[in-house]
Amino acid sequence: MKPRARHIVVDGEELVVLPVHDFDNLLASRRQLGGQAARVRSLREGLTELIECVQALEQRLGSAEPVPDRADLAAELRRRLHRARKLTGMS
């Protein structure tokens, strides 16, 4: 059975009372969540950048205009993929 939180009133404000160990665990969980949120944000930015790059490459390759230099396009795509792999730990 999970222990119920204890509540007290101090200066008219209701507070929750936690044992020191539980409070330390709560802080540790909060730090872990903050680190994970930063990693997710970084991954989202990297994925967005990669999607935009691939869309731009698709448009350039699919257009009726001649592509200036396919080697440049391939190198750009390689750089973006390398960065995406690095962000996701797939390098």
Side-chain angles (χ1 to χ4, degrees), residues 20-48:
V20 172
H21 177 73
D22 290 349
F23 183 73
D24 290 341
N25 287 341
L26 182 62
L27 287 179
S29 295
R30 188 173 179 187
R31 283 190 300 271
Q32 288 174 349
L33 183 60
Q36 290 173 351
R39 178 151 170 75
V40 167
R41 195 169 30 258
S42 175
L43 287 170
R44 182 181 294 129
E45 289 170 4
L47 183 58
T48 299

Side-chain angles (χ1 to χ4, degrees), residues 37-80:
R39 178 151 170 75
V40 167
R41 195 169 30 258
S42 175
L43 287 170
R44 182 181 294 129
E45 289 170 4
L47 183 58
T48 299
E49 182 181 316
L50 181 60
I51 289 169
E52 290 170 357
C53 174
V54 171
Q55 285 175 335
L57 289 173
E58 185 270 331
Q59 288 174 354
R60 288 168 70 182
L61 291 172
S63 71
E65 300 173 20
V67 176
D69 186 356
R70 289 187 192 273
D72 289 343
L73 293 176
E76 181 181 349
L77 185 56
R78 226 178 349 266
R79 280 192 303 275
R80 303 288 179 120

Side-chain angles (χ1 to χ4, degrees), residues 7-17:
H7 297 261
I8 62 170
V9 177
V10 176
D11 294 333
E13 185 176 354
E14 186 175 3
L15 303 174
V16 176
V17 179

